[in-house]
């Protein structure tokens, strides 16, 4: 996983299913001054190591894919591409090059045209980062560009053009509804997740 953050997904996969995981992240968001509830950088890395997760500290841009003796069955990255301030091709190339010949990539990102954004727009609300945060921050780490389902499919088809091993798919979720509206939210999630253009979160598989 590239951009693992606290590595919750990998801890679950390793502890419950015995899956061998590798994570790559700068871990700067866990610097002590941020006072994160997950702990500081050393605490987060130690926790990952305790669950037999291989940790590589650094930027994905510094990865030399040829350094890996064996490619990966599944390469994942969630909530990263929308933060990139430069062209995403390097990032996407690395994701693609890390998978083996029978492997796949799972990349997740918020959907710019999801139903919550549509409702906000109707009431004249900006769908992007809070204005004051963007206006006053010294270094902006928010979303630079969110994508549409059609754009994710375009990415998936581009990187799958020479392979017939994996079908390009969009997997959709509306998890904010599930957490905020409880039982009723599960019903909304099941209904809207069948319509990717209205879903809050999208994962492209290629």
């Amino acid at each position: 996983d590239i951009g693992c953050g606290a590595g919750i997904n990998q801890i679950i996969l390793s502890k419950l299913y015995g899956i061998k995981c590798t994570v790559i992240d700068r871990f700067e968001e866990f610097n002590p001054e941020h006072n994160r509830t997950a702990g500081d950088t050393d605490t987060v890395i130690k926790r990952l190591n305790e669950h037999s997760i291989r940790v590589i500290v650094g930027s994905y841009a510094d990865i030399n894919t040829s350094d890996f003796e064996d490619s990966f069955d599944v390469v994942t990255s969630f909530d990263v591409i929308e933060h990139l301030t430069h062209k995403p091709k390097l990032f996407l190339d690395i994701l693609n090059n890390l998978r083996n010949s029978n492997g796949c990539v799972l990349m997740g990102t918020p959907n710019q045209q999801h139903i919550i954004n549509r409702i906000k727009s109707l009431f004249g609300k900006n769908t992007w980062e809070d204005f004051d945060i963007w206006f006053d921050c010294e270094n902006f780490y928010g979303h630079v560009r969110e994508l549409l389902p059609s754009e994710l499919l375009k990415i998936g088809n581009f990187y799958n053009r020479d392979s017939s091993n994996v079908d390009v798919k969009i997997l959709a979720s509306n998890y904010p509804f599930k957490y905020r509206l409880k039982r009723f939210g599960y019903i909304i999630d099941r209904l809207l997740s069948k319509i990717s253009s209205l879903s809050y979160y999208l994962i492209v598989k290629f």
Side-chain angles (χ1 to χ4, degrees), residues 144-194:
V144 176
R145 178 185 173 86
E146 292 177 355
L147 302 174
L148 307 179
S150 59
E151 293 171 330
L152 279 178
L153 281 174
K154 187 175 181 179
I155 289 172
N157 284 320
F158 177 82
Y159 284 96
N160 208 48
R161 64 192 187 280
D162 297 324
S163 172
S164 59
N165 294 325
V166 180
D167 293 329
V168 177
K169 296 179 181 178
I170 291 288
L171 310 173
S173 173
N174 286 282
Y175 64 85
F177 289 119
K178 290 195 289 186
Y179 292 123
R180 295 175 184 175
L181 301 179
K182 298 182 179 179
R183 188 172 299 177
F184 185 59
Y186 279 89
I187 298 174
I188 295 177
D189 175 62
R190 289 183 67 89
L191 291 174
L192 289 181
S193 292
K194 298 180 182 300

Side-chain angles (χ1 to χ4, degrees), residues 20 44 49 83 94 105 113 120 135 155 160 174 176 184 197:
K20 186 178 179 181
V44 170
N49 287 332
H83 295 275
I94 288 174
V105 174
Q113 64 181 12
K120 282 184 178 179
F135 193 76
I155 289 172
N160 208 48
N174 286 282
F184 185 59
S197 62

Side-chain angles (χ1 to χ4, degrees), residues 34 85 131-142:
H34 299 312
T85 57
F131 176 82
D132 292 331
I133 293 176
W134 167 77
F135 193 76
D136 291 328
C137 68
E138 199 166 313
N139 296 298
F140 180 63
Y141 295 105

Side-chain angles (χ1 to χ4, degrees), residues 56-74:
I56 299 173
V57 180
S59 170
Y60 71 85
D62 298 325
I63 296 173
N64 184 350
T65 55
S66 62
D67 290 341
F68 294 91
E69 293 182 4
D70 53 342
S71 299
F72 298 94
D73 296 322
V74 181

Side-chain angles (χ1 to χ4, degrees), residues 82-95:
E82 68 271 13
H83 295 275
L84 301 182
T85 57
H86 50 76
K87 64 180 181 180
K89 192 173 186 305
L90 171 62
F91 171 72
L92 294 167
D93 284 347
I94 288 174
L95 291 180

